């Protein structure tokens, strides 16, 4: 019995070692646009797929494309993506076992590159084609360290089939998931009661930035804390409820610089309309 068990384990190991991955295309290089100039990436067909994936553990950096809206996938990511859907499961296996933060990020961008068939074509839009790669990304949407990045990539080509998974994630994840709520209008449009104009009875009310020092935008009295205080002020208005989790969410992005400008110029306060319009800028 012991002999058969040992033989069984040997055959499993032999099978795993014999497994070979083949690129899905015969191309030797692929175009990566830098600025508006073609830059050709030589695809690595010598290094095995498992080794290429392990290289995602770092160190590596995104390639400078000259345009903020074009993602600078690395040469290794392009070489991994050249294996197509066959690379998805090995990538997920690496994601589930690695302790490397940059390695986990590398897996997400490699999966996205597989999904768009290595074709970086639009400013903020690419046609996503692989259902297998998309399912893998959606599975990890719940991860605190990856969810926001995954959502930002998926909405470059929103699929209605994502929506049930988005709601499931919001229902089951207790941490901040405002990045999902903010993405929903890209999927469903504006027919839902989201991103609607606040009634003038509330929108024309004035609120002030509670700065003790108008030049102090950092530290314990920084812009984020002050913005949260303004949201708390709005909770005191009749018929207004501010979702509590928003008060614990990180407030960042284009809105922060605009709010900072408001705060530095406006000593009398601003309307709820103007504040919310600025806060929801991306």
């Amino acid at each position: 019995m012991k002999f058969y068990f040992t033989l069984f384990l040997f055959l499993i190991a032999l099978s795993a070692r014999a497994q070979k991955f083949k690129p899905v295309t015969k191309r030797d290089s692929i175009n990566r646009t830098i600025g508006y100039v073609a830059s050709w990436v030589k695809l690595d067909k010598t290094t095995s797929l498992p080794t290429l994936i392990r290289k995602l553990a770092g160190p590596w950096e995104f390639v400078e494309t000259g345009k903020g809206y074009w993602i600078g996938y690395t040469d290794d990511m392009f070489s991994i993506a050249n294996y197509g859907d066959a690379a998805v499961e090995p990538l997920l296996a690496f994601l589930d076992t690695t302790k490397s933060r940059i390695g986990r990020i590398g897996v997400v961008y490699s999966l996205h590159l597989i999904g768009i068939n290595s074709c970086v074509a639009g400013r903020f839009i690419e046609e996503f084609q692989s259902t297998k790669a998309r399912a893998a990304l959606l599975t990890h949407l719940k991860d605190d360290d990856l969810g926001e990045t995954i959502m930002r990539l998926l909405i470059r080509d929103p699929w209605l089939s994502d929506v049930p998974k988005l709601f499931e994630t919001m229902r089951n994840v207790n941490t901040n998931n405002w990045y999902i709520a903010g993405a929903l209008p890209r999927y469903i449009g504006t027919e839902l009661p989201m991103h609607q104009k606040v009634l003038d009875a509330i929108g024309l009310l004035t609120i002030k930035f509670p700065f003790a020092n108008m030049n102090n935008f950092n530290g314990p009295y920084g812009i984020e804390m002050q913005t949260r205080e303004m949201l708390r002020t709005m909770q005191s208005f009749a018929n207004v409820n501010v979702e509590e989790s928003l008060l614990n969410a990180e407030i960042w992005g284009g809105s922060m610089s605009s709010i900072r400008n408001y705060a530095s110029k406006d000593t009398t306060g601003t309307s709820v309309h103007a504040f919310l319009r600025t806060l929801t800028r991306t």
Side-chain angles (χ1 to χ4, degrees):
M1 183 69 180
K2 184 177 181 181
F3 170 76
Y4 287 114
F5 181 70
T6 303
L7 179 61
F8 176 70
L9 291 178
F10 172 76
L11 291 174
I12 290 178
L14 186 63
S15 175
R17 179 173 293 185
Q19 183 180 12
K20 294 183 178 180
F21 300 94
K22 294 182 179 180
V24 294
T25 69
K26 296 181 179 180
R27 58 192 175 192
D28 295 318
S29 59
I30 190 168
N31 179 30
R32 173 177 55 211
T33 302
I34 296 181
Y36 289 103
V37 180
S39 173
W40 291 92
V41 177
K42 180 175 175 55
L43 298 174
D44 186 346
K45 293 185 175 182
T46 303
T47 307
S48 68
L49 175 61
T51 302
L52 286 170
I53 292 174
R54 286 195 296 271
K55 289 174 69 177
L56 294 175
W60 58 265
E61 295 180 350
F62 287 109
V63 175
E64 176 59 55
T65 63
K67 299 292 180 180
Y69 43 77
W70 280 334
I71 299 170
Y73 303 95
T74 67
D75 291 8
D76 287 336
M77 290 176 189
F78 276 106
S79 296
I80 292 169
N82 197 42
Y83 287 86
D85 282 354
V88 172
E89 290 184 11
L91 281 167
L92 288 178
F94 177 77
L95 179 62
D96 291 337
T97 55
T98 185
K99 296 181 180 179
S100 167
R101 159 71 173 159
I102 196 172
R104 289 169 60 81
I105 292 292
V107 168
V108 167
Y109 279 95
S110 296
L111 288 170
H112 184 254
L113 194 56
I114 291 170
I116 63 174
N117 196 26
S118 298
C119 183
V120 184
R123 287 173 175 255
F124 301 103
I125 300 172
E126 291 103 2
E127 183 181 358
F128 204 101
Q129 301 178 35
S130 169
T131 56
K132 189 171 184 178
R134 198 170 190 95
L137 289 171
L138 285 167
T139 298
H140 285 274
L141 188 62
K142 65 183 184 301
D143 294 5
D144 290 343
D145 60 330
L146 300 177
E148 192 162 340
T149 298
I150 291 172
M151 190 76 268
R152 190 165 59 247
L153 293 172
L154 290 177
I155 62 174
R156 294 171 78 94
D157 183 13
W159 290 10
L160 279 177
S161 57
D162 295 348
V163 173
K165 187 67 176 180
L166 303 186
F167 278 98
E168 177 188 336
T169 302
M170 287 194 293
R171 184 168 55 248
N172 296 329
V173 175
N174 295 323
T175 54
N176 168 37
N177 51 41
W178 279 90
Y179 57 89
I180 301 178
L184 284 174
R186 291 288 304 274
Y187 286 88
I188 307 174
T190 57
E191 62 270 17
L192 291 182
M194 301 173 63
H195 287 250
Q196 303 297 309
K197 182 180 178 181
V198 175
L199 295 175
D200 284 346
I202 296 171
L204 295 178
L205 295 174
T206 298
I207 49 179
K208 294 184 178 181
F209 279 87
F211 285 106
N213 179 350
M214 287 299 293
N215 295 317
N216 180 12
F217 296 112
N218 302 304
Y221 298 99
I223 192 73
E224 280 213 22
M225 193 206 75
Q226 300 291 355
T227 302
R228 291 193 183 97
E229 289 303 312
M230 293 184 77
L231 290 170
R232 289 190 175 94
T233 298
M234 290 176 55
Q235 283 186 309
S236 66
F237 299 157
N239 301 318
V240 173
N241 177 59
V242 177
E243 171 63 38
E244 192 66 27
S245 63
L246 180 60
L247 300 177
N248 299 319
E250 182 180 3
I251 303 171
W252 62 277
S255 62
M256 292 307 297
S257 59
S258 297
I259 291 173
R260 185 185 300 258
N261 290 337
Y262 260 117
S264 61
K265 298 174 182 176
D266 190 353
T267 58
T268 61
T270 186
S271 71
V272 171
H273 277 322
F275 172 66
L276 292 180
R277 184 168 56 249
T278 305
L279 182 63
T280 54
R281 279 189 57 197
T282 56

